[in-house]
Amino acid sequence: MSNMMTSLYNIRILDELAEKRTVIHNIHPLMKVLTTCLYLIVIVSFNKYELSGLLPLVFYPIIVIALADLPLVPLLKRMLIVLPLIIGIGLFNPLFDRSPMVVLPWIQLSGGWISFLAILLKGVLTILAALVLIATTGMTRIAAVLGMLRVPRIFILQLLLTYRYISVLIEEVGRTVRAYALRSRREKGVSFSDWGSLTGHLLLRTMERAQRVYHSMCCRGFAGEYHAGNTSKIRIEDILYFTGWGLYFVLVRFFNIPTAIGSLITGVVK
Amino acid sequence: MSHHIIQVNNLKYSYPGGRQALNGVNFQILHGESVGIVGANGAGKSTLLMHLVGVLFPDEGEIAVGEVPVIKKTLPLIRQSVGMVFQDPDDQLFMTTVYDDVAFGPRNYKLPEEEVEKRVRSALETVGILHLMDRLSYKLSGGEKRAAAIATVLAMKPDILVMDEPSSSLDPKSRRRLISLLRCFTHTKIIASHDLDMVLELCERTIIIQDGKVIIDGPTGEILANEELMEKCGLEMPLCLQGCPVCGTKKAK
């Protein structure tokens, strides 16, 4: 039970990480959001058999994580939550698509396996990029940037409140499960027969709590618009960060670097 | 709203389930007064406070702050003038850092960022937690959270401070610090609490509520020392007015 409680209370680690002061954290939020968007677009634009072309994109999260001094384990743990979904999407590809294909000049696999691995890699990289963005920028600053990009107010608000509701919900789950564990004879988990009443109570409690938080926001002048204060000005370094990564992503998209290196090596060996 | 008189006339309110929470409440609170709202659990204290800031609206009756009635249209004006500190500070601290939490209110009123910073610093300094400015809100201790919650309201520069159970879940030292802090405020204060010793120290006037009605409204010293009345309202005299628990000697009134 204590492990569960610890992991529940660790939910806010991304907020904590976003308050660090490193080279990456100091980059203007707008440039980080644009870089991440471009990265996601480039990843999604690869077709399902282009596994080798995706490989150089792995360097973006690795370099950012290293420069931002982010701990890898909490990020990977959060990614694991979504991983079953990604695996589920590509699970049957190896069974249905058995045509042999060349990945790299010296590796051959079936088309199904290649598309499965490509889906897996795409999923992992996109989630990692989103997590890295939140951990280096913070949700409130991301919301401010979305406002600058003229994203409709209602979407930004929805995003912010959902993000905040997750922590409210998880805190309530923690309390409810602890109270349950102290009075149940079971050593682990919640009995199936208690699930109904427990989730019902949880829903009511979190709604009540969310309502109180909303009231306290209204009492301080909240009228449906979130103001993050003045964000810092865009500096040359910020523009260089975006253009540097942008050029790299475009290069990776239109030029298959692993294949080129492979051809070069095999050419030299011949 | 030059003089912040709060006028409550025949206030009635029932919750959606049908339970009558307020049943004809009347009182007037003058500028600079410090008033304790006291009553047993479920008496209607929190419901009354919610009406003062326009979180709930009455079924019957009316409330006015200054000459402004508390209605939907006037809420921005009312909420600039009346600051509410909620019972659970966690409800009030929803941003990542203490600074952002305290700045939330002033930013909503679109004040320039320099003014926001000035207000945040001043509010945090007043409650004595300026050093916690960049800390994560959810990692503060109970006392620090309470101080931060008060600072979030002070940063709005309200004329009237409404507090729901401000001393609940505080350790004795934090409670004492809070009392000293509140004593320094020159605002009109309305404090709903079960901590009758605190009410005795801070409020010159007390209103006892029972079953959604005002039972008595008068000087705190007289009301809280009236054992029979307190008993009738499901309350107890403040500990400092009770006899010595060891030797049984009655305190001189």
Side-chain angles (χ1 to χ4, degrees), chain B residues 2-230:
Chain B
S2 54
H3 291 285
H4 304 98
I5 298 171
I6 298 180
Q7 184 75 48
V8 175
N9 289 333
N10 191 31
L11 201 66
K12 288 186 183 178
Y13 180 77
S14 302
Y15 278 103
R19 190 173 70 85
Q20 181 101 32
L22 298 175
N23 194 9
V25 174
N26 293 290
F27 60 78
Q28 188 188 50
I29 293 173
L30 301 176
H31 179 68
E33 261 192 310
S34 198
V35 181
I37 309 275
V38 172
N41 286 334
K45 304 184 296 291
S46 298
T47 311
L48 174 64
L49 298 193
M50 293 292 182
H51 278 83
L52 297 182
V53 283
V55 169
L56 297 175
F57 292 98
D59 298 333
E60 252 181 75
E62 57 202 24
I63 308 170
V65 178
E67 286 95 45
V68 183
V70 181
I71 49 172
K72 269 193 184 155
K73 236 188 209 174
T74 60
L75 282 186
L77 197 61
I78 294 291
R79 285 171 176 169
Q80 227 172 342
S81 170
V82 184
M84 165 113 181
V85 180
F86 283 67
Q87 188 169 352
D88 184 356
D90 279 328
D91 293 342
Q92 212 147 353
L93 306 173
F94 41 78
M95 303 293 284
T96 316
T97 63
V98 174
Y99 183 95
D100 282 337
D101 257 319
V102 180
F104 181 84
R107 278 176 181 162
N108 278 331
Y109 285 98
K110 294 181 182 163
L111 297 175
E113 202 51 29
E114 297 76 43
E115 172 66 16
V116 171
E117 192 182 337
K118 225 164 86 184
R119 283 196 182 197
V120 172
R121 284 180 173 277
S122 154
L124 289 174
E125 210 163 14
T126 310
V127 297
I129 56 163
L130 186 60
H131 58 289
L132 302 177
M133 190 164 80
D134 295 319
R135 287 269 297 273
L136 298 164
S137 301
Y138 73 97
K139 280 198 166 176
L140 303 179
S141 71
E144 289 168 345
K145 275 185 186 174
R146 178 67 68 190
I150 295 173
T152 63
V153 173
L154 291 184
M156 310 260 302
K157 293 199 172 169
D159 304 300
I160 299 160
L161 213 50
V162 177
M163 298 192 201
D164 195 358
E165 296 283 6
S167 63
S168 68
S169 69
L170 289 187
D171 62 46
K173 265 199 171 167
S174 308
R175 176 182 168 275
R176 179 51 53 196
R177 211 173 300 133
L178 175 79
I179 293 174
S180 318
L181 179 70
L182 293 180
R183 195 178 283 132
C184 304
F185 291 165
T186 49
H187 306 74
T188 304
K189 290 189 283 279
I190 302 172
I191 304 173
S193 182
H194 289 300
D195 183 351
L196 300 184
D197 289 271
M198 184 189 69
V199 171
L200 191 63
E201 280 193 56
L202 288 175
C203 309
E204 65 268 17
R205 180 179 158 197
T206 292
I207 297 173
I208 296 189
I209 294 186
Q210 193 177 26
D211 299 327
K213 278 182 185 166
V214 174
I215 298 294
I216 192 163
D217 178 354
T220 303
E222 276 175 33
I223 291 177
L224 298 189
N226 188 337
E227 204 170 350
E228 200 182 319
L229 174 74
M230 296 299 279

Side-chain angles (χ1 to χ4, degrees), chain A residues 18-19 21 29 136-146 226 228 231, chain B residues 100:
Chain A
E19 293 307 315
R21 289 281 163 266
T136 56
T137 314
M139 197 50 103
T140 45
R141 280 178 221 118
I142 293 174
V145 167
L146 294 179
Y226 174 71
T231 40
Chain B
D100 282 337

Side-chain angles (χ1 to χ4, degrees), chain A residues 225-241:
Chain A
E225 201 172 345
Y226 174 71
H227 304 279
N230 290 349
T231 40
S232 53
K233 283 200 176 119
I234 298 172
R235 303 160 303 166
I236 297 284
E237 298 95 291
D238 304 323
I239 296 169
L240 283 177
Y241 176 84

